[in-house]
Amino acid sequence: MKGKPLVSIVSAGLSKFGKLEGLYAREIFAEAAKEAFDRCPKLDPKKDIQALFVGHMGESYEHQGHTGATMADWAGLLHVPATRTEAACASSGAALRAAIYAVLSSLADVVMVGGVEKMTHRSTAEVTEYLAMASDYPFEQWHGITFPGLFALMATAHMHKYGTTEKQLAAVAVKNHYHGSLNPKSHMQKEITLENALSSRVIAWPLKLYDCSLITDGASCLILTKPELAKKYTDTPVHIIGSGQASDTIGMYERESFTSLTAARLAAKKAYEMADAKPEDIDVAEVHDCFTIAEIIAYEDLGFCKPGEGGQLVEKGETKLGGRLPVNTSGGLKAKGHPVGATGTGQAYEIFLQLTGQADKRQVKSAEIGLTHNVGGSGATATIHIYRRG
Ligand SMILES: CC(C)(COP(=O)(O)OP(=O)(O)OC[C@H]1O[C@@H](n2cnc3c(N)ncnc32)[C@H](O)[C@@H]1OP(=O)(O)O)[C@@H](O)C(=O)NCCC(=O)NCCS
């Protein structure tokens, strides 16, 4: 058996992802928490949960800060020590790291960790401005560059260096919309064709509408405990066997490369070493496809293929359900949606379903080892986790 368990996931919850009109973030988080509690009847949340960590990116959306205590209150965990983590789109990947620290330090035996964002009640212009706060203010935001713009720079660099094509970018969108059509909680429920993707309007060339992730409302959570306590709560735990997190320059202009994310490569190296695993051992992965080019770069940074070959990997269908290594079976950020603070633990929720055989039409046969790759901003934060069926 590879990898010693660091902590075990005994339950998980996910709200519906989409335009959740009339709901506050706190209500959406409560929906995810309820699913996690309902899945784990042996757990008494009020008695057993000793800490809560919540990833949340922005107060601006609801004019609401103090997210840790707010979510604890609405999840029915009043008085539990509750802390918010912020690392842009990797806010709940970072929350997961904090939760692992808490369990490993024995400060808490059972911890809830999750994330939440309510975005769709704001205009696209407002959301674009709030998201841009995760880039460098003086040299990026101030000049008007947005996230679609930053990832378009990576896409053109990748096309220039490796010959990656617009068709290969579109192939990521087609695959993830297909996976999303199999996920009842996904924001987008319909399949798209290559032609739909290629003919959609340009957002920041070469990225078109279908190359971009969605502006979405949603929440996700996990319940973690020490491996030796896991069987007290469930017969089918999922162990986290590797965890890596790394940072990079906030400004993209100072990076060593535009075609690879150093933080993701460093975090992956740590996680693989800790898990005693190699890229070939991974059966299913959820990666941060905030833009289609980001998924192609993720394949390369995670060692699923050689640098420059990510476009071919998706084009050949190797990362589609039924392929060699299915990626983003949930629909990913592209089709399931990207409520930024909820994304990291939302990815872990999909891996929990896959490794416990509960992924229904999206089930990857005999999946035993899973991986999540969660990126903040244009790559100044990356968190990678590796999971094994218990
Ligand atoms: C791409 C983007 C600019 C489109 O926003 P928009 O132009 O305001 O689009 P609208 O909200 O008016 O939607 C128009 C239609 O396109 C659809 N749509 C919107 N965004 C979409 C996307 N990313 N993919 C597919 N369809 C999308 C909507 O559902 C709507 O369809 P409908 O007319 O059938 O209801 C916006 O989705 C965006 O900014 N995405 C990136 C978010 C981001 O940067 N996240 C952080 C990453 S680091």
Side-chain angles (χ1 to χ4, degrees):
M1 273 292 186
K2 286 185 188 304
K4 199 168 136 261
L6 293 171
V7 299
S8 304
I9 306 175
V10 294
S11 192
L14 189 86
S15 72
K16 171 84 180 83
F17 272 27
K19 268 193 188 181
L20 306 178
E21 275 170 36
L23 293 181
Y24 281 102
R26 60 188 71 178
E27 297 170 279
I28 302 169
F29 188 75
E31 183 188 326
K34 183 175 182 312
E35 182 188 333
F37 299 152
D38 290 350
R39 270 183 192 280
C40 196
K42 291 184 187 158
L43 179 99
D44 178 345
K46 276 210 169 101
K47 201 168 125 268
D48 295 333
I49 294 180
Q50 294 156 11
L52 170 69
F53 295 91
V54 186
H56 180 239
M57 183 182 166
E59 291 92 342
S60 310
Y61 296 104
E62 290 187 327
H63 208 80
Q64 175 69 64
H66 217 153
T67 313
T70 309
M71 299 307 151
D73 185 3
W74 281 71
L77 298 175
L78 194 61
H79 307 311
V80 163
T83 309
R84 166 201 174 178
T85 61
E86 191 279 312
C89 310
S91 290
S92 58
L96 180 51
R97 286 277 295 189
I100 293 173
Y101 291 144
V103 174
L104 288 181
S105 72
S106 293
L107 267 181
D109 286 342
V110 183
V111 173
M112 177 176 256
V113 53
V116 65
E117 215 78 54
K118 175 77 180 85
M119 307 170 82
T120 65
H121 58 296
R122 294 291 189 178
S123 69
T124 301
E126 286 171 322
V127 172
T128 303
E129 186 184 340
Y130 302 155
L131 289 171
M133 289 181 198
S135 64
D136 181 72
Y137 179 71
F139 296 109
E140 291 177 340
Q141 289 172 54
W142 195 87
H143 296 273
I145 197 149
T146 61
F147 274 106
L150 288 168
F151 279 87
L153 292 175
M154 293 187 210
T156 48
H158 210 274
M159 290 162 95
H160 178 71
K161 187 166 178 186
Y162 299 117
T164 300
T165 64
E166 290 177 71
K167 219 168 133 192
Q168 290 172 336
L169 297 176
V172 174
V174 173
K175 170 182 73 71
N176 290 351
H177 275 263
Y178 165 63
H179 292 166
S181 75
L182 304 175
N183 181 357
K185 290 196 175 181
S186 176
H187 187 155
M188 291 281 158
Q189 294 284 330
K190 286 198 187 127
E191 286 190 58
I192 59 163
T193 63
L194 207 57
E195 178 50 31
N196 296 145
L198 286 169
S199 62
S200 62
R201 66 192 145 96
V202 171
I203 302 295
W205 193 88
L207 303 179
K208 305 167 195 72
L209 183 72
Y210 284 111
D211 290 299
C212 302
S213 58
L214 293 151
I215 294 170
T216 302
D217 308 322
S220 55
C221 66
L222 312 170
I223 298 173
L224 306 183
T225 189
K226 289 174 185 284
E228 60 271 26
L229 298 179
K231 292 275 166 147
K232 187 173 156 195
Y233 299 106
T234 178
D235 294 334
T236 53
V238 167
H239 304 305
I240 297 187
I241 57 173
S243 173
Q245 179 170 341
S247 310
D248 202 349
T249 62
I250 183 73
M252 222 175 87
Y253 54 90
E254 287 187 304
R255 304 265 170 86
E256 63 184 36
S257 166
F258 268 20
T259 55
S260 164
L261 302 183
T262 302
R265 278 190 285 108
L266 293 173
K269 187 168 183 290
K270 274 256 182 274
Y272 281 130
E273 277 170 8
M274 204 182 277
D276 189 18
K278 296 190 199 67
E280 305 83 79
D281 296 321
I282 307 300
D283 299 314
V284 56
E286 289 283 301
V287 310
H288 199 93
D289 57 328
C290 52
F291 297 93
T292 49
I293 183 62
E295 179 163 326
I296 287 175
I297 290 177
Y299 298 158
E300 299 170 9
D301 288 340
L302 292 167
F304 296 167
C305 63
K306 291 195 187 121
E309 293 182 357
Q312 294 158 41
L313 197 70
V314 64
E315 213 167 31
K316 284 190 207 148
E318 295 200 22
T319 53
K320 189 176 169 181
L321 265 171
R324 176 170 66 86
L325 167 49
V327 173
N328 286 333
T329 55
S330 68
L333 286 56
K334 177 70 273 291
K336 184 181 75 172
H338 185 26
V340 287
T343 286
T345 41
Q347 296 174 321
Y349 172 88
E350 178 71 7
I351 296 296
F352 178 80
L353 293 190
Q354 288 287 357
L355 301 189
T356 52
Q358 301 181 78
D360 200 18
K361 290 180 187 156
R362 319 187 297 286
Q363 185 63 48
V364 174
K365 269 194 212 140
S366 326
E368 197 164 324
I369 310 262
L371 178 148
T372 56
H373 159 278
N374 184 203
V375 171
S378 65
T381 299
T383 68
I384 313 277
H385 289 92
I386 301 179
Y387 309 74
R388 173 159 59 74
R389 193 166 64 191

